Amino acid sequence: MNSREKGKRGERELAGELRRHGYDARRGQQYCGVNGDADVVGLPGLHIECKRVERLDLYAAMSQAEHDAPDGMLPVVMHRKNNCQWLVTMRLDDYMEIYREWEAGKH
């Protein structure tokens, strides 16, 4: 399978997982194909770079997400390899902002 097809399959798989969690997610370039679109859309406020590979340069993937993310969107990389669960990588400052909001909502 060529890498483009594997990428599309990974994006569909991730969108399905996000739908399972209750979000109306889909491949970002499914309809318009504009460069700079998020790989998967449907989580408000997040610009998602999807990687479904065995070996991943996380810093390069995050750099791509940061470069492509519009102002006001948090860049994240959602990734997994075979026989493993999906993981999310994001900048520490962005994570801490989300965590503070979550923590404040608990009190």
Side-chain angles (χ1 to χ4, degrees):
M1 172 184 322
N2 71 37
S3 61
R4 173 176 265 156
E5 287 303 313
K6 185 173 182 181
K8 288 179 186 179
R9 192 174 78 191
E11 291 165 4
R12 286 191 296 268
E13 179 186 333
L14 176 58
E17 286 294 309
L18 297 175
R19 283 193 302 273
R20 189 174 64 79
H21 285 279
Y23 292 90
D24 185 23
R26 62 173 173 78
R27 287 185 56 229
Q29 297 183 4
Q30 186 172 5
Y31 300 109
C32 55
V34 176
N35 288 335
D37 280 356
D39 290 341
V40 176
V41 297
L43 269 66
L46 297 184
H47 179 89
I48 301 170
E49 183 67 31
C50 175
K51 299 293 182 186
R52 179 67 173 80
V53 296
E54 292 304 299
R55 295 183 188 269
L56 175 60
D57 180 345
L58 275 174
Y59 285 93
M62 183 52 113
S63 180
Q64 181 180 353
E66 290 171 335
H67 177 267
D68 292 347
D71 288 342
M73 300 283 282
L74 299 179
V76 299
V77 179
M78 296 188 179
H79 52 99
R80 90 172 188 91
K81 61 183 184 176
N82 291 338
N83 304 311
C84 294
Q85 62 186 344
W86 283 96
L87 300 175
V88 177
T89 298
M90 62 189 330
R91 299 177 296 205
L92 178 63
D93 287 346
D94 293 338
Y95 173 80
M96 293 309 301
E97 180 180 332
I98 291 169
Y99 184 80
R100 267 190 217 90
E101 290 176 17
W102 173 80
E103 188 177 38
K106 289 182 67 177
H107 301 290

